[in-house]
Structures are given as structure tokens and as C-alpha cells.
Amino acid sequence: MDADVMVYEQQLNHDDVSVRLEALRALMQKVQEGEIERPLQGDDVNNHIHTTYSFSPYSPTKAIWMAYRAGLKTAGIMDHDSISGAREFMEAGQIAGIATTIGVECRADFSNTPLKGRRINNPDQKSIAYVAIHGIPHNQIDNVKAFFAPYVKERNKRNALMVDRINEIFKPYGVRLSFEDDVVPLSKSHEGGSITERHLLYALSLKLVAKFGKGQALVDFLMNELGLQLNPRVAGYLRDADNRFYEYDLLGALKSDLVPRFYIDATLECPDVREVVELARNIGAILAYAYLGDVGDSVTGDKKSQKFEDDYLELLFEVISQLGFHAVTYMPSRNTLQQLKRVKALCEKYGFFQISGEDINSPRQSFVCTHLRNEEFKNLIDATWALIGHEKMATRDINKGMFSPDIVRRYPDLNERIDIYKRIGQGLDDGSKL
């Protein structure tokens, strides 16, 4: 690889956003000049890419570069409790010529609904579910930041307490974490980013590698001393001392089996689901429930086999419909075809917009979900373009969003609405007739 290209690619994760964006411009210039091969671009999309503003190996700029190199047609940022990377993501998308969409993933409290006490889509806590706010109008970014700021502050109080619990577990082995010195520097919290359990586990992974090295000795410690049940595939990764994704694979192993030993229930940092519904309505965004489904062999190796919402899925759809959700988002690579067909059928029954996305937070994950190339999921590609069209129109006028009362009254058929906004998203219609 050209030395300049290597430098520019390294700069995509630079601390300074202006350096990151300039590096992307330089790389795209090399593409234009033929020094970097232009990737083949099909119809692939991904609406759920995490960045360093929650947890990821990729800054918003590098995420766009990775999406471009993977041949994506569109890319969507989806950080936990944070939208601070959105403006950079959109600018990077313009530089790379990729259509973008922006959103936020958060946890919502369903305790005041019929789902109280159930394990919904959260492996760590009952009554709390992950939801996704998609298609946020660009002039509402600061309002979203303001909404989540107090919740992020509360989350960090709990993060610090969980670090204390981790230290109690690892005290006999001479391993100790500092929240301020070891965890916070791994985040973008000083720029409005969030700190998640993954940050804690990544910091712990670095400490364990420093203590035990990479390879069989660390695997023996995890299995024999900590009693972790390692996924055979992940155990194989951890035996390989030359594995360039080592710390991320170790994080996945720890997340799958260690979290229950130090986890503290999230309370004040999780808004009531009705507050999230109201936020989405007020800013003209599209609120989606994030379907997980019962997990067998986890694709990413960071989830153990566990039952989630499949046993009461119809009830869940009734609840989110009554609450005022607009959509359901799901990841085709994570579920069986039987699960996906059931979800699709329920979405059609309840009139939910269907959105896709493969959450990217590890360098092992592909930006492309090949399942979307199946004719069965063509609707998810159309939905992505409709999402982009919605964002354009809602930014221009909040009353022109895809689920605004006026638009729903004028175009009650969801499929017709999708087609209208898809054309706007693709630049085939300027939306002036809306």
C-alpha cells in the first residue's frame, strides 16, 4: 500500500475532526486519480453503524471510509445516547459521495407498560429495551443532544460504580481499573459521546493482555480462574497471539459471560418509553423498536444463548403500536428466516415501517449485510431510501416528515408513502408536491 494512503487512513481516527475530514478528502482524491481502486457499488445499505461517539473502532469519518470501501450505497450513524458524531458523519458522506442518515439508539424503560418484568431485547436487564430514533431532522441535532445530556451524566455515575465491582472481582489477580484514567480516555465523552459497558470491558481487556499476554495463558485464566464459558470460535481467536483484533475479541468474550457479575441495573439513565415517543414526535423523527429475537449462536460472539421477545411478540407489537412507535428495525443476519418472516408479517399487520441495520462496533464485522440482497428483504433497501427522503423533507419542514399527521392524512397507505419518500431520497423527486 502507498505510504501516503497508510498515513491518511491512520488519520481517519485522529483526535481532531478537521484532520479526519481532510484525510478523507485526500483519500477520495487518490480514488479520483486512480491511485486507489474504486470499489464496486451495488445496492447495499446499512443504517446502524456505531462510531467512537459510543463504542467502535471507527470515527464517523473512518466509518464512512469503511462503508465506501465496502461498496455501500448509503450509511447510517447510530450511536448509543449520543448524536455528537452526526454532523461529521454527514460531511464525510458528502466527501465520499455516500447518502447518509442519522439516528440515536437508547434504552427506554417499559416498566409502566404491560411488558414490565419481561426480558425484552436487553440481555442485562428486564423491563428495559433498546429503541432506535431514526431519520432525525438535521436542525434537531442540538435538541437531541440536550435531551440525552442528563441521562449520559447518570450513566457515568453507574459506570464508575461498575468499575468498582470489576475491581473487586479482579483484586485477587492484581488487576485494577480507574474509571477516570483507563475508561474515560477511550471515549469521546468530552465531545458529547457516551460511555458504555463496552468501554469498561475494552479497558479491562487491555489490562488483562498487559497482565497475562495474548494466547493460551489468558484463555486458561478466563476459563479456569474466572470460570467463563468461552464460545469455541472466540476461544480460538484468543489462542492466536497474532490476532490483530485480539482486544475486541476478548471484549466480546467478557461481554458474553462476565457482565452479570458486575452489572448494576440502569434506572435514572433510562427515560420512560413515553418520553422517548414524545421526543421523536416533537423533533419529527421515526421511532423504531429494535427487534432482537431469541439468540442461539451469537453472530458476534458477545451474546450467550438466551430467550428474548419471541414468546410474546404479538403482545409486544400491540404495546409499541399503542405507545405510538412508527417502525421496527431488525438485522437479517442475526435471525432465522422463520423469525424474520414472523416479524415482517407482524409489521404489515400493525402498519409498521420496516428498517434494517447491522450494528457495527467491532473490526470483525462486515459493513455489508448480504442477506439484504435476498429478494425477501428488498423492502429494506427501499425503506432506507425512504428514510433518507424523510430526513431531507423533515429538515426542510417538520410537517413534511413521513409520519407527520398531515402527510399520514394525505397518504394513509404506508407503501405509497415509502415510494414517495424513496424517490425523494434517491433525488428523483424534489418533494415540492408535498
Side-chain angles (χ1 to χ4, degrees), residues 232-249:
R233 172 166 45 90
V234 174
Y237 293 152
L238 297 181
R239 290 189 180 96
D240 180 7
D242 296 323
N243 171 9
R244 60 195 178 104
F245 305 137
Y246 199 94
E247 288 80 5
Y248 286 93
D249 291 330

Side-chain angles (χ1 to χ4, degrees), residues 66-81:
M66 296 295 290
Y68 173 77
R69 295 296 293 157
L72 288 189
K73 202 79 169 269
T74 77
I77 189 172
M78 184 61 65
D79 280 319
H80 288 270
D81 301 343

Side-chain angles (χ1 to χ4, degrees), residues 78 84 114 194 235 304 313 413 433:
M78 184 61 65
S84 293
S194 64
K304 59 187 177 183
L313 199 57
D413 182 80
K433 293 180 182 178

